[in-house]
Amino acid sequence: MNTNEITNLIKSIQIKENEIQLMKQLATAKGFIQYYFSHLKSSATKEDAFSKVNELYLQYFGETRFSNYLEFKQTLKVIYSM
């Protein structure tokens, strides 16, 4: 293996490690919600932020975490009313 191949392999491993960490975060309701809140400022609307995070969850896990934004909002209300 030459230096370029090793460098590319290291970069690929780092990318995969970042993806694994994100998957671990999204796998929990708390982590999903935290990731949603981190995307609010960069999204046009709350629904847009939710859609981006829910689509990312779909990409990683093959299903959506919430069926729609209303279900997500209800979950937020339950969690934050405790």
Side-chain angles (χ1 to χ4, degrees):
M1 240 184 217
N2 66 34
T3 306
N4 281 342
E5 290 173 329
I6 292 171
T7 301
N8 288 338
L9 185 58
I10 290 170
K11 285 180 184 178
S12 177
I13 290 169
Q14 289 171 336
I15 290 169
K16 292 299 179 188
E17 286 175 347
N18 291 340
E19 286 181 348
I20 290 168
Q21 289 303 315
L22 181 54
M23 288 175 78
K24 286 179 180 180
Q25 179 180 4
L26 292 176
T28 67
K30 181 179 178 182
F32 185 98
I33 291 167
Q34 287 173 337
Y35 199 72
Y36 160 78
F37 280 119
S38 74
H39 278 77
L40 281 176
K41 289 182 181 179
S42 63
S43 299
T45 65
K46 292 177 183 179
E47 287 185 51
D48 187 40
F50 163 76
S51 292
K52 288 177 185 176
V53 178
N54 212 34
E55 286 293 321
L56 188 57
Y57 188 94
L58 173 63
Q59 177 184 341
Y60 286 139
F61 299 103
E63 61 187 16
T64 57
R65 179 152 190 103
F66 297 95
S67 58
N68 55 49
Y69 181 67
L70 292 176
E71 179 187 347
F72 175 67
K73 274 178 56 174
Q74 290 171 344
T75 302
L76 283 178
K77 287 179 185 178
V78 169
I79 289 173
Y80 286 104
S81 69
M82 295 179 161

PDB file of all heavy atoms in Angstrom, residues 50 65-76:
ATOM      1  N   PHE A  50     -37.130  18.636  11.281  1.00  0.00           N
ATOM      2  CA  PHE A  50     -37.605  17.293  11.610  1.00  0.00           C
ATOM      3  C   PHE A  50     -37.451  16.352  10.411  1.00  0.00           C
ATOM      4  O   PHE A  50     -36.962  15.233  10.552  1.00  0.00           O
ATOM      5  CB  PHE A  50     -39.075  17.327  12.052  1.00  0.00           C
ATOM      6  CG  PHE A  50     -39.718  15.972  12.002  1.00  0.00           C
ATOM      7  CD1 PHE A  50     -39.439  15.025  12.974  1.00  0.00           C
ATOM      8  CD2 PHE A  50     -40.568  15.628  10.961  1.00  0.00           C
ATOM      9  CE1 PHE A  50     -39.999  13.759  12.922  1.00  0.00           C
ATOM     10  CE2 PHE A  50     -41.136  14.371  10.894  1.00  0.00           C
ATOM     11  CZ  PHE A  50     -40.855  13.430  11.882  1.00  0.00           C
ATOM     12  N   ARG A  65     -38.223   7.127  12.283  1.00  0.00           N
ATOM     13  CA  ARG A  65     -38.416   7.023  13.733  1.00  0.00           C
ATOM     14  C   ARG A  65     -39.835   7.451  14.097  1.00  0.00           C
ATOM     15  O   ARG A  65     -40.456   6.873  14.974  1.00  0.00           O
ATOM     16  CB  ARG A  65     -37.395   7.872  14.469  1.00  0.00           C
ATOM     17  CG  ARG A  65     -37.578   7.816  15.962  1.00  0.00           C
ATOM     18  CD  ARG A  65     -36.273   8.055  16.698  1.00  0.00           C
ATOM     19  NE  ARG A  65     -36.447   7.756  18.095  1.00  0.00           N
ATOM     20  CZ  ARG A  65     -36.025   6.659  18.696  1.00  0.00           C
ATOM     21  NH1 ARG A  65     -35.388   5.752  18.009  1.00  0.00           N
ATOM     22  NH2 ARG A  65     -36.233   6.463  19.965  1.00  0.00           N
ATOM     23  N   PHE A  66     -40.317   8.497  13.431  1.00  0.00           N
ATOM     24  CA  PHE A  66     -41.676   9.012  13.645  1.00  0.00           C
ATOM     25  C   PHE A  66     -42.399   9.015  12.309  1.00  0.00           C
ATOM     26  O   PHE A  66     -41.803   9.302  11.273  1.00  0.00           O
ATOM     27  CB  PHE A  66     -41.628  10.436  14.220  1.00  0.00           C
ATOM     28  CG  PHE A  66     -40.971  10.515  15.572  1.00  0.00           C
ATOM     29  CD1 PHE A  66     -39.629  10.835  15.700  1.00  0.00           C
ATOM     30  CD2 PHE A  66     -41.696  10.256  16.722  1.00  0.00           C
ATOM     31  CE1 PHE A  66     -39.019  10.897  16.934  1.00  0.00           C
ATOM     32  CE2 PHE A  66     -41.098  10.320  17.969  1.00  0.00           C
ATOM     33  CZ  PHE A  66     -39.757  10.636  18.077  1.00  0.00           C
ATOM     34  N   SER A  67     -43.693   8.730  12.340  1.00  0.00           N
ATOM     35  CA  SER A  67     -44.434   8.649  11.084  1.00  0.00           C
ATOM     36  C   SER A  67     -44.669  10.022  10.469  1.00  0.00           C
ATOM     37  O   SER A  67     -44.791  10.137   9.256  1.00  0.00           O
ATOM     38  CB  SER A  67     -45.755   7.916  11.278  1.00  0.00           C
ATOM     39  OG  SER A  67     -46.548   8.567  12.250  1.00  0.00           O
ATOM     40  N   ASN A  68     -44.729  11.066  11.309  1.00  0.00           N
ATOM     41  CA  ASN A  68     -44.927  12.418  10.790  1.00  0.00           C
ATOM     42  C   ASN A  68     -44.554  13.455  11.859  1.00  0.00           C
ATOM     43  O   ASN A  68     -44.261  13.102  13.004  1.00  0.00           O
ATOM     44  CB  ASN A  68     -46.367  12.628  10.314  1.00  0.00           C
ATOM     45  CG  ASN A  68     -47.375  12.322  11.401  1.00  0.00           C
ATOM     46  OD1 ASN A  68     -47.268  12.790  12.536  1.00  0.00           O
ATOM     47  ND2 ASN A  68     -48.360  11.505  11.066  1.00  0.00           N
ATOM     48  N   TYR A  69     -44.586  14.716  11.471  1.00  0.00           N
ATOM     49  CA  TYR A  69     -44.189  15.791  12.379  1.00  0.00           C
ATOM     50  C   TYR A  69     -45.137  15.904  13.576  1.00  0.00           C
ATOM     51  O   TYR A  69     -44.695  16.184  14.692  1.00  0.00           O
ATOM     52  CB  TYR A  69     -44.128  17.115  11.613  1.00  0.00           C
ATOM     53  CG  TYR A  69     -43.714  18.284  12.467  1.00  0.00           C
ATOM     54  CD1 TYR A  69     -42.424  18.361  12.992  1.00  0.00           C
ATOM     55  CD2 TYR A  69     -44.604  19.309  12.750  1.00  0.00           C
ATOM     56  CE1 TYR A  69     -42.033  19.424  13.787  1.00  0.00           C
ATOM     57  CE2 TYR A  69     -44.216  20.383  13.541  1.00  0.00           C
ATOM     58  CZ  TYR A  69     -42.931  20.435  14.056  1.00  0.00           C
ATOM     59  OH  TYR A  69     -42.553  21.492  14.838  1.00  0.00           O
ATOM     60  N   LEU A  70     -46.418  15.667  13.379  1.00  0.00           N
ATOM     61  CA  LEU A  70     -47.375  15.765  14.494  1.00  0.00           C
ATOM     62  C   LEU A  70     -47.080  14.733  15.576  1.00  0.00           C
ATOM     63  O   LEU A  70     -47.140  15.039  16.772  1.00  0.00           O
ATOM     64  CB  LEU A  70     -48.808  15.613  13.988  1.00  0.00           C
ATOM     65  CG  LEU A  70     -49.328  16.753  13.120  1.00  0.00           C
ATOM     66  CD1 LEU A  70     -50.729  16.435  12.607  1.00  0.00           C
ATOM     67  CD2 LEU A  70     -49.322  18.054  13.887  1.00  0.00           C
ATOM     68  N   GLU A  71     -46.754  13.520  15.176  1.00  0.00           N
ATOM     69  CA  GLU A  71     -46.372  12.493  16.151  1.00  0.00           C
ATOM     70  C   GLU A  71     -45.119  12.922  16.919  1.00  0.00           C
ATOM     71  O   GLU A  71     -45.029  12.746  18.132  1.00  0.00           O
ATOM     72  CB  GLU A  71     -46.120  11.161  15.439  1.00  0.00           C
ATOM     73  CG  GLU A  71     -45.696  10.048  16.386  1.00  0.00           C
ATOM     74  CD  GLU A  71     -45.281   8.782  15.659  1.00  0.00           C
ATOM     75  OE1 GLU A  71     -45.538   8.640  14.446  1.00  0.00           O
ATOM     76  OE2 GLU A  71     -44.675   7.932  16.331  1.00  0.00           O
ATOM     77  N   PHE A  72     -44.170  13.493  16.209  1.00  0.00           N
ATOM     78  CA  PHE A  72     -42.941  13.983  16.837  1.00  0.00           C
ATOM     79  C   PHE A  72     -43.250  15.087  17.847  1.00  0.00           C
ATOM     80  O   PHE A  72     -42.739  15.081  18.963  1.00  0.00           O
ATOM     81  CB  PHE A  72     -41.981  14.485  15.758  1.00  0.00           C
ATOM     82  CG  PHE A  72     -40.730  15.115  16.298  1.00  0.00           C
ATOM     83  CD1 PHE A  72     -39.788  14.355  16.965  1.00  0.00           C
ATOM     84  CD2 PHE A  72     -40.494  16.464  16.128  1.00  0.00           C
ATOM     85  CE1 PHE A  72     -38.621  14.938  17.461  1.00  0.00           C
ATOM     86  CE2 PHE A  72     -39.340  17.057  16.607  1.00  0.00           C
ATOM     87  CZ  PHE A  72     -38.396  16.282  17.279  1.00  0.00           C
ATOM     88  N   LYS A  73     -44.107  16.037  17.456  1.00  0.00           N
ATOM     89  CA  LYS A  73     -44.479  17.125  18.372  1.00  0.00           C
ATOM     90  C   LYS A  73     -45.152  16.591  19.632  1.00  0.00           C
ATOM     91  O   LYS A  73     -44.888  17.069  20.742  1.00  0.00           O
ATOM     92  CB  LYS A  73     -45.434  18.116  17.674  1.00  0.00           C
ATOM     93  CG  LYS A  73     -44.734  19.187  16.892  1.00  0.00           C
ATOM     94  CD  LYS A  73     -45.683  20.129  16.179  1.00  0.00           C
ATOM     95  CE  LYS A  73     -46.667  20.767  17.106  1.00  0.00           C
ATOM     96  NZ  LYS A  73     -47.506  21.791  16.484  1.00  0.00           N
ATOM     97  N   GLN A  74     -46.002  15.607  19.488  1.00  0.00           N
ATOM     98  CA  GLN A  74     -46.662  15.015  20.648  1.00  0.00           C
ATOM     99  C   GLN A  74     -45.634  14.355  21.574  1.00  0.00           C
ATOM    100  O   GLN A  74     -45.735  14.462  22.792  1.00  0.00           O
ATOM    101  CB  GLN A  74     -47.716  13.999  20.206  1.00  0.00           C
ATOM    102  CG  GLN A  74     -48.914  14.637  19.556  1.00  0.00           C
ATOM    103  CD  GLN A  74     -49.855  13.606  18.929  1.00  0.00           C
ATOM    104  OE1 GLN A  74     -49.489  12.458  18.725  1.00  0.00           O
ATOM    105  NE2 GLN A  74     -51.070  14.049  18.615  1.00  0.00           N
ATOM    106  N   THR A  75     -44.660  13.700  20.996  1.00  0.00           N
ATOM    107  CA  THR A  75     -43.609  13.086  21.782  1.00  0.00           C
ATOM    108  C   THR A  75     -42.818  14.145  22.531  1.00  0.00           C
ATOM    109  O   THR A  75     -42.497  13.969  23.720  1.00  0.00           O
ATOM    110  CB  THR A  75     -42.671  12.257  20.889  1.00  0.00           C
ATOM    111  OG1 THR A  75     -43.440  11.268  20.215  1.00  0.00           O
ATOM    112  CG2 THR A  75     -41.565  11.603  21.693  1.00  0.00           C
ATOM    113  N   LEU A  76     -42.508  15.250  21.877  1.00  0.00           N
ATOM    114  CA  LEU A  76     -41.804  16.355  22.538  1.00  0.00           C
ATOM    115  C   LEU A  76     -42.595  16.878  23.716  1.00  0.00           C
ATOM    116  O   LEU A  76     -42.037  17.121  24.800  1.00  0.00           O
ATOM    117  CB  LEU A  76     -41.557  17.510  21.561  1.00  0.00           C
ATOM    118  CG  LEU A  76     -40.432  17.340  20.552  1.00  0.00           C
ATOM    119  CD1 LEU A  76     -40.360  18.561  19.641  1.00  0.00           C
ATOM    120  CD2 LEU A  76     -39.101  17.120  21.248  1.00  0.00           C
TER     121      LEU A  76
END
